[in-house]
Amino acid sequence: MKELPAIEGGVPVREKKIYYGHQYLDEADYEAVLDLLKSGDDLTCGPRIRALEEKLCRITGAKYAVAVSNGTAALHVACLAAGIGPGDEVITTPITFAASANCALYCGARPVFADIDEKTYNIDPESVRSHVTARTKAVVAVDYTGQSAKLDELLAICRQNGLLLLTDGAHSIGTKYKGRPTGSIADMTTFSFHPVKTVTAGEGGAVLTNDPTLYEKLLLYRSHGITRNPQWMEKEPDGPWYYEQVDLGYNYRMSDIQAALVLSQLDKLERFKARRKEITARYDAAFSAMEQLIVQEEIPESDTARHLYILRIRPEKLQIDRRGFFDALGAENICCNVHYIPVYYFPYYRKLGYEKGLCPKAEKLYEEILTLPLYYAMSDQDVEDVICAVKKVAAYYAV
Ligand SMILES: *Cc1c(COP(=O)(O)O)cnc(C)c1O
């Protein structure tokens, strides 16, 4: 890469740095947490957890919801409930946070990476189909950036091959697929309430399902493999105190303090979604007109509550590569990020035998993307600054 001069004038588009994501909390959120603390209600396994699970069912249309300590725990209990174990294979995408694949490893199974669709960047059902073997047990699709994966196509492949479809919906709370909310369609859907996500509990997560048996198993694995349900016990109860550990589970419970916060956050979900859509539309309009840039395409089936805004560059139309673009935006005080490094690039995965070249479209995407700021609390001026900086850098370094 040849040395390029700093952008002429040297004045950044904005003085104050802006980051790619940030939580939005208001008075109602503070009060919700304080109310709980003052109420004397249980701080765990209490009424806020039940209220959260009911609310998630109402929002998504799923029959059952299980609140857990974070999105990674949600993926882990979902894999356990799916019966995934040693010798099994789980198909997922490399363009995701590591947890979407790690959950298979936790269970002793092997993640298998299917390639992405080069336009939407979501897992490609045809690639999934080509990776199904006799050992495949489940597919973990990811609603990358909030856009729904192609659920009908994936469900068809899963039904034909006796697989369970899990969706990592860490990005997609509020999204609808063919008019139905994420959370009600796959066999299980997981959410994350980490502070960068659309709604936050500080840390938190949930699993949604319509299947009563999966629901019972999720409850079991969330809490040590212990049950108080006589139906699941091997012995007659010794007395009212009696419970049994019938499998090896974990303590993946969420506290009611976290539940109180995310309950209040969920009241703002429609506002959050609308603002995120608005910002996404403005970015798309500005960038689709520039030949140096590519915007993520959406399938018409997805009504997307966008969590991440991915800007893709066309390196052949620019004198700089992604790193150069990232640094140039940084010099404008637009602090980007990159989502994601293909999971199998990590040293841990390399030691397990995964090699570069598995998913060529995902690998090419990774070379060309950066994540622009996108969050509810961005002002119109912030959005204009980001657009102005991207246009400035793209135009300046155009070939
Ligand atoms: C954030 C995230 C997770 C993990 O969620 P945590 O709540 O941080 O454990 C899993 N998958 C994806 C795609 C994510 O973005």
Side-chain angles (χ1 to χ4, degrees), residues 15-29:
E15 257 173 44
K16 203 166 152 251
K17 287 189 192 311
I18 182 168
Y19 295 90
Y20 90 93
H22 200 260
Q23 74 268 17
Y24 172 80
L25 300 174
D26 63 9
E27 288 299 326
D29 296 326

Side-chain angles (χ1 to χ4, degrees), residues 70-72 75 96-97 99-100 142 168 170-171 192-194 197 203-204 340:
N70 56 63
T72 305
L75 285 161
T96 185
F97 184 60
S100 320
V142 178
D168 180 343
H171 299 178
S192 164
F193 306 128
H194 182 278
K197 308 294 158 73
E203 293 274 6
Y340 291 94

